[in-house]
């Protein structure tokens, strides 16, 4: 018996009139009394392969079970196709139904379903064209990430998911405990005694692998992490997940500007990779978006197609400016003067909201923007204090349609400056001793950043809700499947 070949390979095959075996799921079946045309998809690519089943060869009993959603194994001749849209098709000699489906109850109809509806049907969502495209592109971006950093001599460091420290100091962490919530052990003061907990202390799911990453960089020079991160912020937006993936490179001997150069090179590499290796999927998503755009009023339609947007970012330098320059632009902007911003910009020191970021990126510069040198009071403790003592060497990369996609900084490598910043921010030195040791023994200038993988995927796919670029989204109130 012939061995199974993936549909992606069969469709590219130039060998004709050979026996092949394909396995996959039925998308549609049509035909007449004499012959059935089955569209079979195995997820290896967007396209289906057409299986032609002649009643003389395939029994009626079998054909009855070939229903939408059923899983088949098909053996037959790979022959040139007379139908439009495909070069080859399989002339079936044998069909085995590996898994039946009940077409009447099958929740996917051959029409477009809303994303909200699909999010509720975990097992079928990945079988749609759209999610197949998204998840293949997601894989491509993960693979390209490893390839990019590997080529540059970075090492992938696995940082812990369970942690005893709060890297971003925002305190929005999920607790990890094995204590009985009904009857936790209490100490003499009547408080929960975490000494009796699994790790002998309070622990949480990590918000970032950076602090551990810094230890790696100060030994291996250049590392990157790529792992899940967790934030218990109750933000029900289209850009926030409670569980998301982050890529965090950390580089010894890099200053902020070196880091800004690296992030541009990396993002462009990813976009180029997607356009080169995911062209079919991007093309499909682009057509889908164009259809959707047609339903919108003219002034809300995007002036660029998905591919044009990707190419634009690939071919243009990002605009790099300081927070202070950005505040000046925003202060004097039309929406600020006309009181159109929900949070008006008045004074230096204000935290930028996504409406401000999007104004800069989408209206003012009309390209990706890197903002740097933020006021120290709105940024994390580990960022390097600038000469002015007011700002830190931070940088955020802002993308059109998304806002912040990357956050990073040069790290404070000077022990005294770092500990006095920690004191200002009321971070216990004792808790962070293991981290401060890097500054005690061979400290070095170093920098790094974090790319939100799902925010990247929003940009690459053109989708607008972050729940639709991760296979199993976790958001406030949602942890099904
Ligand atoms: O800006 P953030 O909080 O930076 C850090 O965590 C640093 N430790 C990174 C570093 O310097 N190594 O998060 C980094 C990125 C954001 O720019 C955003 O893209 C993404 O992570 N992100 C989220 N993505 C989805 N859902 C959320 N709730 C996110 N919070 C942050
Ligand atoms: Mg940030």
């Amino acid at each position: 018996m012939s061995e199974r070949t993936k549909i992606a390979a069969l469709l590219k095959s130039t060998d004709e009139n050979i026996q092949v075996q394909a396995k996959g799921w039925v998308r549609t079946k049509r035909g007449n009394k004499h012959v059935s045309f089955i569209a079979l998809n195995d997820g290896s690519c967007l396209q289906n392969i057409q299986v032609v089943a002649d009643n003389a060869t395939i029994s009626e009993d079998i054909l009855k079970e070939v229903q939408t959603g059923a899983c088949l194994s098909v053996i037959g001749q790979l022959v040139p196709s007379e139908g439009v849209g495909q070069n080859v098709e399989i002339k079936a000699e044998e069909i085995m139904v590996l898994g039946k489906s009940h077409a009447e109850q099958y929740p996917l109809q051959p029409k477009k379903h809303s994303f909200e509806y699909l999010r509720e049907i975990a097992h079928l969502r990945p079988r749609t064209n759209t999610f197949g495209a998204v998840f293949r592109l997601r894989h491509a971006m993960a693979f390209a990430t490893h390839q990019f950093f590997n080529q540059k001599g970075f090492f992938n460091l696995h940082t812990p998911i369970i942690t005893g420290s709060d890297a971003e100091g925002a305190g929005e962490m999920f607790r990890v405990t094995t204590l009985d919530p009904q009857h936790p052990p209490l100490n003499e003061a009547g408080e929960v005694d975490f000494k009796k907990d699994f790790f002998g202390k309070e622990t949480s799911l990590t918000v970032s692998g950076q602090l551990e990453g810094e230890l790696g960089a100060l030994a291996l020079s250049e590392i990157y992490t790529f792992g899940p991160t967790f934030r218990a912020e109750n933000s029900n937006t289209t850009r926030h997940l409670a569980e998301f993936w982050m890529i965090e490179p950390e580089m010894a001997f890099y200053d902020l500007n070196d880091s800004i150069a690296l992030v541009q090179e990396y993002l462009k590499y990813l976009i180029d990779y997607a356009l080169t290796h995911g062209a079919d999927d991007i093309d499909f998503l682009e057509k889908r978006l164009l259809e959707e755009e047609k339903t919108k009023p003219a002034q809300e339609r995007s002036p660029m197609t998905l591919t044009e947007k990707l190419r634009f970012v690939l071919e243009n330098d990002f605009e790099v400016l300081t927070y202070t320059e950005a505040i000046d632009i925003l202060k004097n902007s039309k929406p600020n003067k006309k009181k159109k911003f929900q949070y008006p910009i008045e004074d230096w020191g204000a935290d930028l909201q996504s409406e401000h970021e999007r104004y800069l990126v989408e209206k003012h510069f009309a390209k990706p923007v890197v903002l740097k040198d933020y006021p120290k009071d709105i940024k994390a403790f580990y960022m390097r204090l600038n000469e002015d003592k007011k700002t830190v060497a931070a940088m955020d990369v802002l993308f059109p349609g998304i806002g912040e996609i990357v956050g990073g900084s040069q790290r404070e490598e000077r022990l005294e400056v770092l500990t006095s910043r920690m004191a200002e921010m009321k971070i216990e030195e004792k808790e962070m001793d293991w981290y401060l040791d890097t500054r005690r023994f061979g400290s070095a200038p170093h920098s790094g950043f974090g790319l939100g993988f799902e925010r990247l995927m929003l940009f690459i796919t053109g989708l607008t809700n972050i729940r639709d670029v991760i296979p199993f989204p976790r958001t406030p109130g949602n942890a099904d499947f």
Side-chain angles (χ1 to χ4, degrees):
M1 206 218 282
S2 47
E3 283 200 358
R4 174 202 172 213
T5 309
K6 287 191 192 175
I7 291 171
L10 290 176
L11 290 173
K12 280 195 215 122
S13 173
T14 47
D15 300 332
E16 279 160 6
N17 304 311
I18 51 162
Q19 196 188 49
V20 297
Q21 180 178 30
K23 293 181 183 178
W25 294 268
V26 177
R27 284 291 177 86
T28 55
K29 182 178 81 169
R30 58 187 179 81
N32 54 41
K33 278 208 309 252
H34 312 290
V35 60
S36 300
F37 299 96
I38 305 159
L40 199 69
N41 187 289
D42 67 0
S44 58
C45 61
L46 183 76
Q47 289 78 17
N48 308 321
I49 195 157
Q50 172 157 284
V51 176
V52 183
D54 191 319
N55 277 21
T57 323
I58 308 295
S59 81
E60 210 171 304
D61 288 349
I62 297 268
L63 281 174
K64 237 188 258 162
E65 291 185 348
V66 176
Q67 298 187 2
T68 305
C71 184
L72 308 184
S73 165
V74 177
I75 293 173
Q77 294 288 317
L78 191 69
V79 296
S81 174
E82 280 154 31
V84 280
Q86 73 243 343
N87 294 326
V88 289
E89 61 189 25
I90 301 175
K91 198 167 162 353
E93 286 159 4
E94 189 188 339
I95 292 182
M96 268 190 314
V97 179
L98 303 178
K100 289 192 227 176
S101 174
H102 304 279
E104 325 75 64
Q105 296 159 24
Y106 194 71
L108 277 187
Q109 303 302 323
K111 61 162 184 152
K112 224 167 92 180
H113 291 286
S114 79
F115 285 157
E116 290 76 12
Y117 174 74
L118 288 173
R119 267 178 234 138
E120 290 167 10
I121 333 175
H123 68 292
L124 293 174
R125 193 163 86 129
R127 283 205 205 156
T128 60
N129 281 334
T130 302
F131 288 96
V134 170
F135 299 146
R136 278 187 297 272
L137 285 168
R138 196 179 152 107
H139 162 78
M141 293 298 87
F143 180 77
T145 289
H146 289 297
Q147 186 155 286
F148 175 80
F149 287 115
N150 183 59
Q151 279 171 5
K152 287 197 147 323
F154 283 55
F155 300 107
N156 184 198
L157 189 77
H158 293 127
T159 49
I161 290 169
I162 298 174
T163 172
S165 68
D166 175 3
E168 292 302 302
E172 287 156 333
M173 304 180 82
F174 291 101
R175 287 169 179 283
V176 174
T177 177
T178 53
L179 295 182
D180 178 353
Q182 308 287 338
H183 311 283
L186 302 178
N187 62 20
E188 278 163 17
E191 297 153 341
V192 175
D193 187 2
F194 286 103
K195 287 210 186 78
K196 301 228 168 73
D197 204 347
F198 191 91
F199 296 105
K201 60 186 284 195
E202 277 189 82
T203 49
S204 311
L205 294 178
T206 189
V207 294
S208 157
Q210 178 198 321
L211 300 188
E212 291 89 352
E214 285 185 48
L215 272 64
L218 293 176
L220 299 165
S221 287
E222 288 160 345
I223 63 94
Y224 69 103
T225 71
F226 190 163
T229 43
F230 307 86
R231 303 215 177 162
E233 45 195 340
N234 204 351
S235 5
N236 235 321
T237 78
T238 53
R239 297 174 310 115
H240 288 89
L241 290 163
E243 176 178 310
F244 63 99
W245 290 68
M246 197 168 14
I247 295 120
E248 295 184 276
E250 191 69 34
M251 300 75 68
F253 319 121
Y254 272 52
D255 67 13
L256 186 69
N257 292 328
D258 298 328
S259 203
I260 292 174
L262 181 71
V263 75
Q264 288 204 52
E265 188 187 344
Y266 171 43
L267 289 168
K268 289 184 179 200
Y269 183 90
L270 292 177
I271 294 169
D272 187 46
Y273 192 95
L275 286 167
T276 318
H277 299 270
D280 282 356
D281 288 323
I282 287 182
D283 212 44
F284 171 81
L285 292 168
E286 170 164 306
K287 291 206 178 90
R288 188 186 182 291
L289 281 168
L290 286 174
E291 286 300 312
E292 216 171 74
E293 290 273 304
K294 282 189 201 151
T295 65
K296 291 188 195 160
Q299 69 271 21
E300 279 175 34
R301 286 182 207 161
S302 161
M304 282 193 236
T305 66
L306 178 58
T307 317
E308 283 167 350
K309 239 173 52 188
L310 294 171
R311 289 224 170 279
F312 182 84
V313 172
L314 186 61
E315 285 157 12
N316 287 283
D317 279 341
F318 297 3
E319 187 74 34
V320 184
L321 70 157
T322 65
Y323 166 91
T324 306
E325 289 165 334
I327 286 287
D328 281 341
I329 293 171
L330 288 166
K331 236 181 177 168
N332 297 315
S333 69
K334 249 197 212 153
N336 200 49
K337 287 183 169 162
K338 291 191 172 167
K339 308 227 176 317
K340 289 270 165 63
F341 284 142
Q342 198 186 338
Y343 298 90
I345 295 286
E346 277 150 18
D347 300 312
W348 188 92
D351 203 354
L352 298 183
Q353 305 296 323
S354 81
E355 56 179 348
H356 308 129
E357 296 175 347
R358 293 183 69 161
Y359 173 81
L360 290 170
V361 173
E362 287 158 31
K363 298 270 162 20
H364 191 83
F365 291 110
K367 59 160 133 162
V369 168
V370 184
L371 283 188
K372 59 176 191 176
D373 300 330
Y374 281 76
K376 64 175 179 166
D377 294 335
I378 58 172
K379 288 291 182 188
F381 76 94
Y382 52 71
M383 298 189 178
R384 192 176 198 278
L385 194 63
N386 285 328
E387 299 273 291
D388 63 14
K389 304 266 184 339
K390 278 167 47 190
T391 59
V392 286
M395 62 111 163
D396 277 4
V397 181
L398 314 178
F399 259 36
I402 292 159
E404 181 188 336
I405 190 167
V406 170
S409 65
Q410 185 167 339
R411 318 308 188 188
E412 185 53 77
E413 84 283 13
R414 299 162 296 186
L415 181 65
E416 302 70 36
V417 186
L418 184 59
T419 49
S420 77
R421 285 279 291 140
M422 286 171 66
E424 265 172 49
M425 297 171 83
K426 306 212 164 25
I427 298 168
E428 289 256 4
E429 248 182 67
K430 196 166 55 81
E431 292 289 305
M432 302 297 292
D433 230 26
W434 61 274
Y435 177 74
L436 292 171
D437 276 346
T438 55
R439 274 62 170 176
R440 294 186 183 115
F441 304 98
S443 189
H446 62 290
S447 303
F449 58 82
L451 168 67
F453 192 52
E454 286 74 20
R455 300 239 176 123
L456 167 80
M457 291 315 301
L458 283 177
F459 185 71
I460 297 291
T461 60
L463 297 189
T464 51
N465 192 324
I466 200 161
R467 293 164 179 80
D468 294 325
V469 293
I470 185 164
F472 302 96
R474 298 286 174 258
T475 53
N478 292 303
D480 296 335
F481 322 130

